[in-house]
Amino acid sequence: MSTNMLLNKIASRNFVKLGRQSKRLCSTHIERKKSSDNSNGLFTEEHQQLRDTLKKIIDKEINPYVDQWEQEGQFPAKKVFKTLGNAGLLGVTKPTEYGGLGLDYTYSVALAEELGNINCGGVPMAIGVQTDMSTPALAKFGSDKLKREFLAPSISGDFVSCIGVSEVGGGSDVASVKTTAVKKDGDYIINGGKMWITNGAQADWMCLLANTSEGPAHRNKSLICLPMNLPGITVAKKIDKMGMRCSDTAQIYFEDVRVPQDHVIGEEGMGFTYQMLQFQEERLYGAAATVQPLDNLIASTADYCRQRKVFGSPLLNNQTIHFRLAELSTEVECLRSLIYRSVGDYVSGQDMTRLASMCKLKAGRLAREVTDSCLQFWGGMGFTNEVLVSRFYRDFRLLSIGGGADEVMLSIICKYMNTLPKPPKQK
């Protein structure tokens, strides 16, 4: 064997070793964190038991396959969701009569945090669509018929759901959606299209936002339970994304799709309002699912820098590095506290729109900051696909875009601060 071939073989082995080391360091940090999980005053032993159940599933049924799913560009949602459904983890806050556990929202946040121990962003996001984005309005406002037809099988894991709001011409501007649902002979005839639909390629049904009348933009929309096997529905393509690789994201078209009028969730014309309420749980979930991976990345980066020698000394001895990691850890704890305060307000019945928007804004910006800094400290290894920091660097870029861009969060916060400029009065 030539010298060059031998060196290449050694380098390849080192790459694999460092990749495995990155995942092992994250797992070690998770175990360390368990001892302090209940010190926040929000969670109880019951919360921890639920997290332990989820952790076993993550360790056995999810993390061993994440690398494969990332390469394939899709994880088996039906299989994973059925496993979670059998464990009672897809409906912790949903009514017991439809298979849920009937618990308060603190349990959803506990599970969202634990889902952050999955070695990617795509699977937790897809699960969150099922539990906190496509089903809250149905659970709160839907008829008994719709709950039994769509909510119950979503809780059991027999159905995969998606949320149909964003379109090619409008994402964060929800009032501008163009998809229509026109009444005819007891049905709605749906025409239009949706874009960036998480779970769209595997979903059994969609929580669809569509215009059901010609009225004002905030009062002419309805949420509709739309089975995805109806004639006229076309999944045009699975979108190739820079991150969240194992979560399928689809562009979907509707051409004269007929659905019964009784598939409307709650009152016709209240869809915009219901969706705004639904967004609050989505934003809290997204923020809560961020803190654990950020903690894990900071800890694994510290451990890597402790082992990595530069000029005869551990890289971590560089004050720039250990001070920066301390700053980042402090910021993550601040985010966690903000999330817990928001959840406390939510479960006590208060309006948490302002705080949820702050959580979403802070989570997206901090995720970029942490992943960028940590990747820098991993050096050349951070620029490879062999370590988790590069995956989360890509995956977490979405947090400042999806579910309402940073600029939309800022506008909501400004509205509550009474600093948002009012539009000029029309003459």
Side-chain angles (χ1 to χ4, degrees), residues 15-48:
F15 262 48
V16 173
K17 182 180 177 182
L18 281 168
R20 289 171 179 166
Q21 181 186 68
S22 169
K23 296 177 177 65
R24 187 171 64 250
L25 292 175
C26 284
S27 298
T28 302
H29 175 65
I30 293 165
E31 293 301 322
R32 287 195 210 123
K33 281 289 291 180
K34 280 185 69 173
S35 62
S36 61
D37 278 343
N38 293 329
S39 61
N40 52 69
L42 187 70
F43 299 145
T44 65
E45 184 60 33
E46 286 72 24
H47 291 85
Q48 187 58 51

Short mmCIF file of all heavy atoms in Angstrom, two decimals, residues 15-48:
data_model
loop_
_atom_site.label_atom_id
_atom_site.label_comp_id
_atom_site.label_asym_id
_atom_site.label_seq_id
_atom_site.Cartn_x
_atom_site.Cartn_y
_atom_site.Cartn_z
N PHE A 15 -12.13 10.64 10.65
CA PHE A 15 -13.39 11.34 10.39
C PHE A 15 -14.54 10.59 11.05
O PHE A 15 -15.38 11.18 11.74
CB PHE A 15 -13.64 11.42 8.87
CG PHE A 15 -13.24 12.73 8.27
CD1 PHE A 15 -12.01 13.28 8.56
CD2 PHE A 15 -14.09 13.41 7.41
CE1 PHE A 15 -11.62 14.48 7.99
CE2 PHE A 15 -13.72 14.61 6.84
CZ PHE A 15 -12.48 15.16 7.13
N VAL A 16 -14.61 9.29 10.81
CA VAL A 16 -15.68 8.47 11.40
C VAL A 16 -15.62 8.52 12.92
O VAL A 16 -16.63 8.67 13.61
CB VAL A 16 -15.59 7.02 10.89
CG1 VAL A 16 -16.60 6.14 11.62
CG2 VAL A 16 -15.84 6.98 9.38
N LYS A 17 -14.39 8.43 13.45
CA LYS A 17 -14.20 8.46 14.90
C LYS A 17 -14.69 9.77 15.50
O LYS A 17 -15.39 9.78 16.51
CB LYS A 17 -12.72 8.25 15.23
CG LYS A 17 -12.41 8.21 16.72
CD LYS A 17 -10.93 7.99 16.96
CE LYS A 17 -10.59 8.02 18.45
NZ LYS A 17 -9.15 7.84 18.68
N LEU A 18 -14.36 10.89 14.86
CA LEU A 18 -14.79 12.19 15.36
C LEU A 18 -16.30 12.35 15.26
O LEU A 18 -16.94 12.96 16.12
CB LEU A 18 -14.09 13.31 14.59
CG LEU A 18 -12.65 13.61 15.01
CD1 LEU A 18 -11.97 14.50 14.00
CD2 LEU A 18 -12.62 14.23 16.40
N GLY A 19 -16.92 11.82 14.17
CA GLY A 19 -18.37 11.89 14.04
C GLY A 19 -19.06 11.15 15.16
O GLY A 19 -20.00 11.64 15.78
N ARG A 20 -18.57 9.94 15.45
CA ARG A 20 -19.14 9.15 16.55
C ARG A 20 -18.91 9.84 17.88
O ARG A 20 -19.76 9.85 18.77
CB ARG A 20 -18.53 7.75 16.56
CG ARG A 20 -18.97 6.88 15.40
CD ARG A 20 -18.18 5.59 15.35
NE ARG A 20 -18.61 4.73 14.27
CZ ARG A 20 -17.93 3.68 13.84
NH1 ARG A 20 -16.78 3.36 14.42
NH2 ARG A 20 -18.38 2.96 12.82
N GLN A 21 -17.72 10.44 18.01
CA GLN A 21 -17.38 11.14 19.26
C GLN A 21 -18.33 12.31 19.48
O GLN A 21 -18.79 12.55 20.61
CB GLN A 21 -15.94 11.64 19.16
CG GLN A 21 -15.44 12.37 20.41
CD GLN A 21 -14.07 12.97 20.19
OE1 GLN A 21 -13.94 13.90 19.39
NE2 GLN A 21 -13.07 12.44 20.84
N SER A 22 -18.67 13.03 18.42
CA SER A 22 -19.59 14.16 18.53
C SER A 22 -20.94 13.71 19.08
O SER A 22 -21.51 14.34 19.98
CB SER A 22 -19.79 14.80 17.15
OG SER A 22 -20.85 15.71 17.16
N LYS A 23 -21.48 12.60 18.55
CA LYS A 23 -22.77 12.09 19.02
C LYS A 23 -22.66 11.58 20.45
O LYS A 23 -23.57 11.75 21.27
CB LYS A 23 -23.26 10.99 18.08
CG LYS A 23 -23.54 11.49 16.67
CD LYS A 23 -23.94 10.35 15.75
CE LYS A 23 -24.29 10.82 14.36
NZ LYS A 23 -23.18 11.40 13.63
N ARG A 24 -21.53 10.93 20.79
CA ARG A 24 -21.35 10.40 22.14
C ARG A 24 -21.25 11.52 23.17
O ARG A 24 -21.79 11.43 24.26
CB ARG A 24 -20.10 9.52 22.19
CG ARG A 24 -19.93 8.78 23.52
CD ARG A 24 -18.81 7.75 23.44
NE ARG A 24 -17.52 8.35 23.20
CZ ARG A 24 -16.84 8.26 22.07
NH1 ARG A 24 -17.34 7.59 21.04
NH2 ARG A 24 -15.66 8.84 21.92
N LEU A 25 -20.56 12.58 22.82
CA LEU A 25 -20.42 13.72 23.74
C LEU A 25 -21.78 14.34 24.02
O LEU A 25 -22.07 14.74 25.15
CB LEU A 25 -19.47 14.76 23.14
CG LEU A 25 -18.00 14.36 23.04
CD1 LEU A 25 -17.20 15.44 22.33
CD2 LEU A 25 -17.41 14.08 24.41
N CYS A 26 -22.63 14.44 22.99
CA CYS A 26 -23.99 14.97 23.20
C CYS A 26 -24.77 14.07 24.14
O CYS A 26 -25.47 14.54 25.04
CB CYS A 26 -24.72 15.09 21.86
SG CYS A 26 -24.20 16.51 20.88
N SER A 27 -24.66 12.74 23.96
CA SER A 27 -25.38 11.80 24.82
C SER A 27 -24.92 11.92 26.27
O SER A 27 -25.72 11.86 27.20
CB SER A 27 -25.17 10.37 24.32
OG SER A 27 -25.69 10.22 23.03
N THR A 28 -23.60 12.10 26.48
CA THR A 28 -23.08 12.26 27.83
C THR A 28 -23.65 13.49 28.49
O THR A 28 -24.02 13.48 29.66
CB THR A 28 -21.54 12.35 27.79
OG1 THR A 28 -21.03 11.17 27.17
CG2 THR A 28 -20.96 12.49 29.19
N HIS A 29 -23.74 14.58 27.73
CA HIS A 29 -24.29 15.82 28.28
C HIS A 29 -25.76 15.66 28.65
O HIS A 29 -26.21 16.18 29.67
CB HIS A 29 -24.14 16.95 27.26
CG HIS A 29 -24.78 18.23 27.70
ND1 HIS A 29 -24.34 18.93 28.80
CD2 HIS A 29 -25.83 18.92 27.20
CE1 HIS A 29 -25.08 20.01 28.96
NE2 HIS A 29 -25.99 20.01 28.00
N ILE A 30 -26.52 14.90 27.85
CA ILE A 30 -27.93 14.67 28.15
C ILE A 30 -28.08 14.01 29.52
O ILE A 30 -28.93 14.38 30.33
CB ILE A 30 -28.57 13.78 27.06
CG1 ILE A 30 -28.62 14.56 25.73
CG2 ILE A 30 -29.98 13.36 27.46
CD1 ILE A 30 -28.88 13.67 24.53
N GLU A 31 -27.23 13.02 29.80
CA GLU A 31 -27.30 12.34 31.08
C GLU A 31 -26.97 13.29 32.23
O GLU A 31 -27.60 13.25 33.28
CB GLU A 31 -26.33 11.15 31.09
CG GLU A 31 -26.73 10.04 30.13
CD GLU A 31 -28.11 9.49 30.43
OE1 GLU A 31 -28.46 9.36 31.62
OE2 GLU A 31 -28.85 9.21 29.49
N ARG A 32 -25.98 14.18 32.01
CA ARG A 32 -25.64 15.14 33.05
C ARG A 32 -26.81 16.08 33.34
O ARG A 32 -27.06 16.45 34.47
CB ARG A 32 -24.43 15.98 32.59
CG ARG A 32 -23.11 15.27 32.59
CD ARG A 32 -22.02 16.31 32.47
NE ARG A 32 -20.86 15.75 31.79
CZ ARG A 32 -20.33 16.26 30.69
NH1 ARG A 32 -20.86 17.32 30.12
NH2 ARG A 32 -19.27 15.69 30.16
N LYS A 33 -27.52 16.47 32.27
CA LYS A 33 -28.59 17.44 32.42
C LYS A 33 -29.79 16.89 33.18
O LYS A 33 -30.54 17.62 33.79
CB LYS A 33 -29.06 17.92 31.05
CG LYS A 33 -28.17 18.95 30.41
CD LYS A 33 -28.24 20.29 31.10
CE LYS A 33 -29.60 20.94 30.88
NZ LYS A 33 -29.71 22.24 31.53
N LYS A 34 -29.98 15.59 33.15
CA LYS A 34 -31.17 15.01 33.77
C LYS A 34 -31.30 15.36 35.23
O LYS A 34 -32.39 15.57 35.75
CB LYS A 34 -31.17 13.48 33.60
CG LYS A 34 -31.62 13.01 32.24
CD LYS A 34 -31.71 11.51 32.19
CE LYS A 34 -32.85 11.00 33.04
NZ LYS A 34 -33.07 9.56 32.89
N SER A 35 -30.19 15.44 35.93
CA SER A 35 -30.22 15.71 37.36
C SER A 35 -30.75 17.09 37.69
O SER A 35 -31.23 17.33 38.80
CB SER A 35 -28.82 15.55 37.95
OG SER A 35 -27.93 16.49 37.36
N SER A 36 -30.68 18.03 36.71
CA SER A 36 -31.13 19.39 36.99
C SER A 36 -32.45 19.72 36.30
O SER A 36 -32.94 20.84 36.38
CB SER A 36 -30.07 20.40 36.54
OG SER A 36 -29.84 20.29 35.15
N ASP A 37 -33.05 18.76 35.57
CA ASP A 37 -34.24 19.05 34.79
C ASP A 37 -35.42 19.49 35.64
O ASP A 37 -36.28 20.23 35.19
CB ASP A 37 -34.65 17.81 33.97
CG ASP A 37 -33.86 17.71 32.69
OD1 ASP A 37 -33.26 18.72 32.29
OD2 ASP A 37 -33.83 16.62 32.10
N ASN A 38 -35.52 19.00 36.89
CA ASN A 38 -36.69 19.28 37.71
C ASN A 38 -36.48 20.46 38.66
O ASN A 38 -37.28 20.68 39.57
CB ASN A 38 -37.07 18.03 38.53
CG ASN A 38 -37.56 16.91 37.62
OD1 ASN A 38 -38.13 17.16 36.57
ND2 ASN A 38 -37.30 15.68 38.03
N SER A 39 -35.41 21.21 38.47
CA SER A 39 -35.11 22.29 39.39
C SER A 39 -35.72 23.61 38.99
O SER A 39 -35.46 24.63 39.60
CB SER A 39 -33.58 22.46 39.49
OG SER A 39 -33.04 22.80 38.22
N ASN A 40 -36.56 23.62 37.95
CA ASN A 40 -37.06 24.88 37.41
C ASN A 40 -38.40 25.30 37.98
O ASN A 40 -38.85 26.40 37.73
CB ASN A 40 -37.17 24.77 35.88
CG ASN A 40 -37.96 23.54 35.46
OD1 ASN A 40 -39.15 23.47 35.67
ND2 ASN A 40 -37.27 22.54 34.90
N GLY A 41 -39.08 24.42 38.71
CA GLY A 41 -40.37 24.76 39.29
C GLY A 41 -41.54 24.54 38.35
O GLY A 41 -42.70 24.63 38.77
N LEU A 42 -41.29 24.24 37.08
CA LEU A 42 -42.36 24.03 36.12
C LEU A 42 -42.71 22.55 35.97
O LEU A 42 -43.87 22.19 35.82
CB LEU A 42 -41.94 24.59 34.75
CG LEU A 42 -43.01 24.62 33.65
CD1 LEU A 42 -44.08 25.65 33.97
CD2 LEU A 42 -42.38 24.93 32.30
N PHE A 43 -41.70 21.70 36.06
CA PHE A 43 -41.88 20.28 35.82
C PHE A 43 -41.91 19.49 37.12
O PHE A 43 -41.27 19.86 38.10
CB PHE A 43 -40.77 19.74 34.91
CG PHE A 43 -40.73 20.40 33.56
CD1 PHE A 43 -39.52 20.61 32.92
CD2 PHE A 43 -41.88 20.79 32.92
CE1 PHE A 43 -39.46 21.22 31.68
CE2 PHE A 43 -41.85 21.40 31.68
CZ PHE A 43 -40.63 21.62 31.06
N THR A 44 -42.63 18.38 37.09
CA THR A 44 -42.76 17.48 38.23
C THR A 44 -42.18 16.12 37.87
O THR A 44 -41.69 15.91 36.75
CB THR A 44 -44.24 17.31 38.61
OG1 THR A 44 -44.92 16.65 37.51
CG2 THR A 44 -44.90 18.65 38.88
N GLU A 45 -42.27 15.19 38.79
CA GLU A 45 -41.79 13.82 38.52
C GLU A 45 -42.60 13.19 37.39
O GLU A 45 -42.06 12.40 36.60
CB GLU A 45 -41.93 12.98 39.79
CG GLU A 45 -41.38 11.56 39.66
CD GLU A 45 -39.89 11.54 39.31
OE1 GLU A 45 -39.15 12.45 39.75
OE2 GLU A 45 -39.47 10.61 38.59
N GLU A 46 -43.88 13.57 37.26
CA GLU A 46 -44.72 13.04 36.17
C GLU A 46 -44.20 13.51 34.81
O GLU A 46 -44.20 12.75 33.83
CB GLU A 46 -46.18 13.46 36.35
CG GLU A 46 -46.93 12.73 37.46
CD GLU A 46 -46.49 13.16 38.86
OE1 GLU A 46 -45.96 14.30 38.99
OE2 GLU A 46 -46.66 12.37 39.80
N HIS A 47 -43.76 14.76 34.75
CA HIS A 47 -43.16 15.26 33.51
C HIS A 47 -41.91 14.44 33.16
O HIS A 47 -41.71 14.07 32.00
CB HIS A 47 -42.77 16.74 33.65
CG HIS A 47 -43.92 17.69 33.75
ND1 HIS A 47 -44.55 17.97 34.94
CD2 HIS A 47 -44.55 18.44 32.81
CE1 HIS A 47 -45.52 18.85 34.74
NE2 HIS A 47 -45.54 19.15 33.45
N GLN A 48 -41.09 14.17 34.17
CA GLN A 48 -39.85 13.44 33.93
C GLN A 48 -40.13 12.01 33.47
O GLN A 48 -39.43 11.47 32.62
CB GLN A 48 -38.98 13.43 35.17
CG GLN A 48 -37.59 12.84 34.96
CD GLN A 48 -36.80 13.56 33.88
OE1 GLN A 48 -36.69 14.79 33.91
NE2 GLN A 48 -36.25 12.82 32.93
#
